Amino acid sequence: MVKALITGITGQDGSYLAEFLLDKGYDVYGMVRRSSVENLERIEHIKDKLKFVQADLLDQLSIIDAVKESQPDEIYNLAAMSFVPTSWKQPLLTGEFTALGVTRMLEAVRHINKDIKFYQASSSEMFGKVREIPQNENTPFYPRSPYGVAKVYGHYMAVNYRESYDIFACSGILFNHESPRRGLEFVTKKITHGAAMIKLGLTDKLLLGNLDAKRDWGYAKDYVEAMWLMLHQDKPDDYVISTGETHSVKEWVELSFKCLGLDWEKYVGVDERYIRPVDVDLLVGDSSKARKDLGWAPKVKFEELIKIMVEYDYNSLKKQI
């Protein structure tokens, strides 16, 4: 039985990846931080099928112990301080988790078993102030947030360990990917949840930041398959994972409210508090390399993704009333 260790298993991507690997017959370990309150909501339905090891990305020895205990064939490093706005408020902590945490994971692989295949969760936020449209694996990085900067560091550490120590390390440069399991602090979830709240009469206003920002949005459940495919190629490499379509935050708002028969302009306003110090205006990925080499392609379209999220939020809230 193939064994996998997932950091960030309690997050959106970690929960979908855990499901995916269990379906493949994997023995799945999740690396979790010791906490007085467990947050296993996203994996509650599968937690009895998982094994957990306690470790922290800030603590090298605990990571080494977790890798020794789980003895994985594959590691998926998804854990990070992943909310971009918070990275300005906590830039040092973001660097410790999202940048140096990658190095600590790679060091554990180097010292324990260099045959472990390693997946690093890179991000389209690394492109930031984009140098070309669309962005591919060769597009220069120009990050526009502490989070983006930290992700660039982690990305290049994976490249460096691959080239220096012959470790099978891959980075997936994933563009925005959403799902019903997305955290409420993220704008997409904030919109679908807010629209459902308004439809049910639980609130009458939704305040957002930059409505003109454009992103390449896909479905998280589609994207975790690409992670697995990367670790099953003959040679390790880095891949952009995206839909190739770009849509504005305003479009996300319009479609979310339309799903519920609402006119968004009656309810949505802009609040300066949600405007980033510097924003990323346009991200759209060219995933032709992944489509060719991995045989991967997104299955869920933009409109369908929004419908999935709106219906989930509406039905969940309705049950609570």
Side-chain angles (χ1 to χ4, degrees):
M1 186 179 286
V2 183
K3 288 192 281 187
L5 173 63
I6 303 172
T7 74
I9 196 169
T10 60
Q12 171 188 256
D13 292 7
S15 65
Y16 282 119
L17 179 63
E19 286 177 347
F20 179 86
L21 295 179
L22 286 171
D23 286 344
K24 292 279 185 188
Y26 274 61
D27 197 5
V28 180
Y29 287 78
M31 195 177 101
V32 292
R33 279 187 288 171
R34 194 241 160 266
S35 173
S36 56
V37 180
E38 285 189 334
N39 180 22
L40 303 178
E41 182 183 350
R42 294 185 181 96
I43 54 173
E44 190 67 38
H45 61 297
I46 55 170
K47 72 175 185 180
D48 293 340
K49 300 176 183 177
L50 304 171
K51 297 171 183 174
F52 297 98
V53 288
Q54 286 190 354
D56 194 306
L57 284 180
L58 303 187
D59 181 17
Q60 182 72 72
L61 285 177
S62 70
I63 293 170
I64 288 171
D65 286 343
V67 174
K68 281 182 177 177
E69 182 181 339
S70 56
Q71 291 291 312
D73 301 286
E74 301 168 5
I75 291 176
Y76 295 86
N77 186 41
L78 311 185
M81 201 306 295
S82 60
F83 188 48
V84 176
T86 300
S87 73
W88 275 286
K89 295 179 181 178
Q90 299 180 331
L92 296 177
L93 189 62
T94 299
E96 285 286 350
F97 274 118
T98 310
L100 291 176
V102 183
T103 312
R104 295 184 187 106
M105 292 300 301
L106 287 164
E107 274 292 277
V109 171
R110 183 169 78 91
H111 286 285
I112 295 168
N113 178 8
K114 289 200 292 185
D115 290 332
I116 296 171
K117 292 185 175 182
F118 184 86
Y119 172 83
Q120 167 59 18
S122 289
S123 168
S124 59
E125 287 287 329
M126 300 189 305
F127 294 119
K129 189 174 181 179
V130 298
R131 299 312 217 183
E132 61 183 2
I133 300 170
Q135 296 89 54
N136 62 35
E137 293 80 6
N138 298 314
T139 301
F141 299 136
Y142 193 144
R144 300 264 279 176
S145 67
Y147 170 78
V149 172
K151 278 292 185 184
V152 170
Y153 177 100
H155 177 84
Y156 278 125
M157 286 308 290
V159 172
N160 188 259
Y161 274 65
R162 180 170 71 214
E163 295 177 352
S164 301
Y165 304 114
D166 199 27
I167 289 170
F168 196 110
C170 298
S171 286
I173 306 172
L174 271 56
F175 279 65
N176 294 63
H177 46 289
E178 316 297 322
S179 76
R181 298 179 190 173
R182 193 54 139 158
L184 195 53
E185 69 273 22
F186 290 87
V187 68
T188 48
K189 182 70 167 182
K190 187 177 179 181
I191 294 165
T192 58
H193 186 269
M197 291 270 287
I198 290 168
K199 180 67 176 179
L200 291 165
L202 300 173
T203 188
D204 59 3
K205 201 74 176 170
L206 176 62
L207 297 176
L208 301 169
N210 181 10
L211 297 181
D212 297 319
K214 293 181 178 180
R215 295 291 185 273
D216 183 327
W217 277 298
Y219 186 29
K221 200 170 182 179
D222 289 344
Y223 283 37
V224 298
E225 181 182 7
M227 301 176 186
W228 178 79
L229 286 167
M230 286 179 212
L231 296 194
H232 290 81
Q233 302 306 301
D234 292 334
K235 294 180 180 179
D237 207 344
D238 307 323
Y239 298 89
V240 163
I241 303 299
S242 65
T243 68
E245 295 180 9
T246 183
H247 299 276
S248 67
V249 174
K250 186 183 290 184
E251 285 179 77
W252 189 286
V253 172
E254 289 172 351
L255 286 169
S256 296
F257 278 74
K258 187 179 178 182
C259 283
L260 296 169
L262 298 171
D263 178 0
W264 72 275
E265 292 184 283
K266 293 180 180 178
Y267 306 101
V268 177
V270 173
D271 189 323
E272 293 298 319
R273 288 178 301 169
Y274 302 127
I275 303 291
R276 298 178 182 181
V278 288
D279 209 346
V280 175
D281 299 317
L282 170 65
L283 290 174
V284 56
D286 173 7
S287 58
S288 54
K289 179 181 173 182
R291 294 173 193 240
K292 177 178 175 288
D293 293 358
L294 307 180
W296 176 87
K299 300 179 184 72
V300 175
K301 297 289 187 181
F302 181 69
E303 293 82 1
E304 187 184 350
L305 169 59
I306 292 174
K307 187 170 182 286
I308 290 169
M309 291 178 65
V310 170
E311 289 181 352
Y312 175 87
D313 288 336
Y314 179 81
N315 292 329
S316 295
L317 284 166
K318 196 173 181 181
K319 287 177 186 175
Q320 297 170 25
I321 296 175

